[in-house]
Amino acid sequence: VDRLTSHRRVAEIMVIDRRTSSDGPEIDLLFVEYARDGQVAANTRRFTIHGNEVHVDAKVIRFQRGFLYEDDPLRGSSIALFTRIYGDKTPPEHGIPIDEQGVAPEVYRGADPRAAEFEARLWKDFWRLLEDDEYAKMHGVRIAQGEGIWWPPQDGRLYTLSIAADGGIELTSEPVKAIYLEAMKRLAPTNEPVTGAED
């Protein structure tokens, strides 16, 4: 029961700036992903979205429950690949790419090369998992589908995207500690454009 109801943190998002341009409201977001061991991934990024709501799309793979019961090293928990992030004033097809498509996300490339190779194969043939029942069964996949989460981000809140062992992506939030907010104010660069990956 603990395994089936457990959650693993996938990413955290917070507002670092907002303004109004000639095109309307803009929000700068800090986007941090976490590896399986809970460590912050190297690809921390900042994104600028247009509008008052942030949308995050992802591809999610859920495995047969038997693998979860057995705590299978390759299929013991659902996995997700983020596809894009965008604001409510931007068409989804113009969203900013997050993870490279068709390969295992960097955060999944851990010490076990079998897992990286196995997951790379699944992401490469993701939609085949939906259309080819035998192929999905061969890899122990129960569900392969796209999922989208959206919300109006508030200043001073930390938003966590986690993935349930037997489910999809879920969103929670909590207040950001005051000391971190103060540190961000002191370290924030002035007039620096915010686009994609951190340098």
Side-chain angles (χ1 to χ4, degrees):
V1 172
D2 287 342
R3 258 202 310 273
L4 291 175
T5 57
S6 66
H7 287 71
R8 179 169 51 79
R9 183 169 55 189
V10 178
E12 289 181 336
I13 299 175
M14 65 177 291
V15 174
I16 55 176
D17 191 22
R18 66 172 73 227
R19 60 192 166 274
T20 301
S21 70
S22 57
D23 296 326
E26 296 181 348
I27 303 175
D28 296 337
L29 301 168
L30 181 65
F31 185 95
V32 179
E33 288 190 81
Y34 289 84
R36 281 183 165 158
D37 59 4
Q39 298 298 310
V40 176
N43 60 340
T44 296
R45 285 162 286 181
R46 295 182 298 166
F47 297 108
T48 296
I49 63 164
H50 299 275
N52 292 307
E53 298 169 355
V54 56
H55 292 245
V56 177
D57 291 346
K59 294 176 180 176
V60 175
I61 295 175
R62 307 180 196 181
F63 296 101
Q64 297 291 343
R65 291 191 175 94
F67 295 112
L68 277 65
Y69 297 146
E70 299 165 5
D71 200 18
D72 184 278
L74 299 182
R75 294 161 288 197
S77 179
S78 299
I79 55 176
L81 182 149
F82 292 117
T83 56
R84 59 195 172 195
I85 185 169
Y86 53 98
D88 56 302
K89 300 301 182 184
T90 300
E93 62 270 21
H94 294 151
I96 306 168
I98 301 178
D99 288 329
E100 182 181 355
Q101 301 303 294
V103 299
E106 182 181 343
V107 294
Y108 288 143
R109 300 171 198 166
D112 188 346
R114 296 176 307 154
E117 181 180 348
F118 174 71
E119 290 166 6
R121 191 181 320 128
L122 297 183
W123 295 126
K124 181 179 179 182
D125 298 322
F126 180 78
W127 294 117
R128 183 180 174 188
L129 294 168
L130 175 65
E131 306 295 346
D132 188 334
D133 292 341
E134 287 301 315
Y135 184 74
K137 184 178 180 181
M138 180 175 69
H139 290 88
V141 172
R142 181 168 59 92
I143 294 174
Q145 65 184 21
E147 295 186 10
I149 293 180
W150 61 271
W151 72 98
Q154 303 300 312
D155 296 347
R157 303 288 298 182
L158 180 67
Y159 298 92
T160 300
L161 298 174
S162 61
I163 188 161
D166 189 33
I169 295 178
E170 299 180 6
L171 174 70
T172 57
S173 78
E174 62 183 303
V176 177
K177 290 184 178 180
I179 190 171
Y180 298 142
L181 292 174
E182 185 61 28
M184 287 182 60
K185 289 178 186 176
R186 293 175 183 270
L187 297 174
T190 57
N191 301 321
E192 181 179 336
V194 181
T195 52
E198 284 272 36
D199 294 331

